[in-house]
Amino acid sequence: MIFEEVKSFYESYGGKKCVIGYSFRGREIFAFHTGSQTGRQFISAYAIHAREWICARLALKHIKTGVKRGGGWVIPLVNPDGATLCETARPLWKANARGVDLNCNFDADWGTGRLNTKIRGGENCIGEYPFSEAETIALKNFTLRIRPYVTLSFHTKGEEIYWQYDGMGDRRGAEILAEATGYRPKIIYGSAGGYKDWCIKKLQIPAYTIECGSDSLTHPIKKLRYLKKCFKALKIFTEKYG
């Protein structure tokens, strides 16, 4: 199980680490520091969607690879309850254990996305109000505490990089990520309430969503090798952008 894999890695990790909060069902949301502890810091978040739990393994790869310039925090498994549900019962589930899509639950034009619904289920449910979920509260509070200069969110799939929201964003970082991965920067419309969106609009910092893996793959992706184009993405990004 991916939660147990991340927990075991946490227990053996010798660097700076912490628990940023707990899921609805009480599972820890782990964070690992990599690189320098001085100067401005990044946050890189993974597996906010349950069926994209393979991104947690990508996070562990990024931690092991490390960064050569600057430092920051890697959060491998934002949605541990949903990932467990995906692995054991509902393989296409995206939401958390309460049926709320965490990447629709941030305070950035909440509830205005094209596919948004208030009906709980596997995807697209926005919750009762922004930050109604334990997992989004944890990520919000940690982000406000760290005050990163940039955030990255690793998802699957499509080999695209989203960098803009509501007319704001920094394309330069998207171009660096494109060079590192071979993916294409893209502006998307009709979505709202995501972590990237909130970071750009409310914190006014650059933020990026990286959709890892070919669109021809089927959810849930189970082999890390399918995300190999992203193996050095964090390292290269911080070297050239940080």
Side-chain angles (χ1 to χ4, degrees), residues 18-19 30 37 78 86 95 100-101 120 126 131 134 144 184 196 199 204 242:
C18 67
V19 174
F30 301 107
Q37 296 185 31
V78 177
C86 174
V100 174
D101 188 326
R120 296 192 187 195
I126 60 176
F131 302 115
L144 293 176
R184 63 184 180 119
K196 169 188 69 70
C199 289
Q204 297 187 349

Side-chain angles (χ1 to χ4, degrees), residues 12-188:
S12 65
Y13 186 65
K16 188 176 182 181
K17 58 189 176 183
C18 67
V19 174
I20 70 168
Y22 296 85
S23 69
F24 173 69
R25 299 203 182 280
R27 292 183 174 92
E28 300 95 335
I29 302 173
F30 301 107
F32 303 79
H33 191 272
T34 183
S36 174
Q37 296 185 31
T38 62
R40 60 184 192 165
Q41 303 287 296
F42 66 82
I43 288 178
S44 193
Y46 307 70
I48 195 168
H49 284 143
R51 70 187 187 191
E52 300 167 18
W53 57 261
I54 191 65
C55 292
R57 287 199 181 129
L58 178 64
L60 301 187
K61 178 76 172 178
H62 285 169
I63 296 166
K64 293 172 185 176
T65 302
V67 298
K68 288 187 176 180
R69 181 179 181 187
W73 289 91
V74 173
I75 307 170
L77 189 57
V78 177
N79 186 4
D81 293 349
T84 301
L85 181 60
C86 174
E87 288 182 283
T88 58
R90 301 190 178 185
L92 296 183
W93 194 262
K94 288 178 70 177
N96 70 353
R98 281 170 27 95
V100 174
D101 188 326
L102 299 178
N103 216 36
C104 300
N105 191 237
F106 287 83
D107 186 17
D109 301 310
W110 175 83
T112 64
R114 179 172 54 89
L115 299 177
N116 287 172
T117 178
K118 289 191 174 182
I119 300 172
R120 296 192 187 195
E123 58 187 316
N124 299 326
C125 176
I126 60 176
E128 294 93 339
Y129 48 84
F131 302 115
S132 62
E133 306 308 298
E135 299 88 351
T136 51
I137 291 171
L139 186 52
K140 176 192 75 170
N141 289 343
F142 188 70
T143 303
L144 293 176
R145 179 156 68 91
I146 300 301
R147 288 289 176 180
Y149 72 93
V150 66
T151 68
L152 299 97
S153 302
F154 286 87
H155 288 250
T156 57
K157 55 191 174 64
E159 298 192 339
E160 295 176 336
I161 300 159
Y162 309 142
W163 59 275
Q164 188 248 39
Y165 184 74
D166 198 25
M168 299 178 286
D170 186 357
R171 185 181 176 92
R172 182 173 70 94
E175 291 172 347
I176 292 170
L177 287 164
E179 180 183 351
T181 61
Y183 298 170
R184 63 184 180 119
K186 184 177 181 180
I187 297 175
I188 58 171

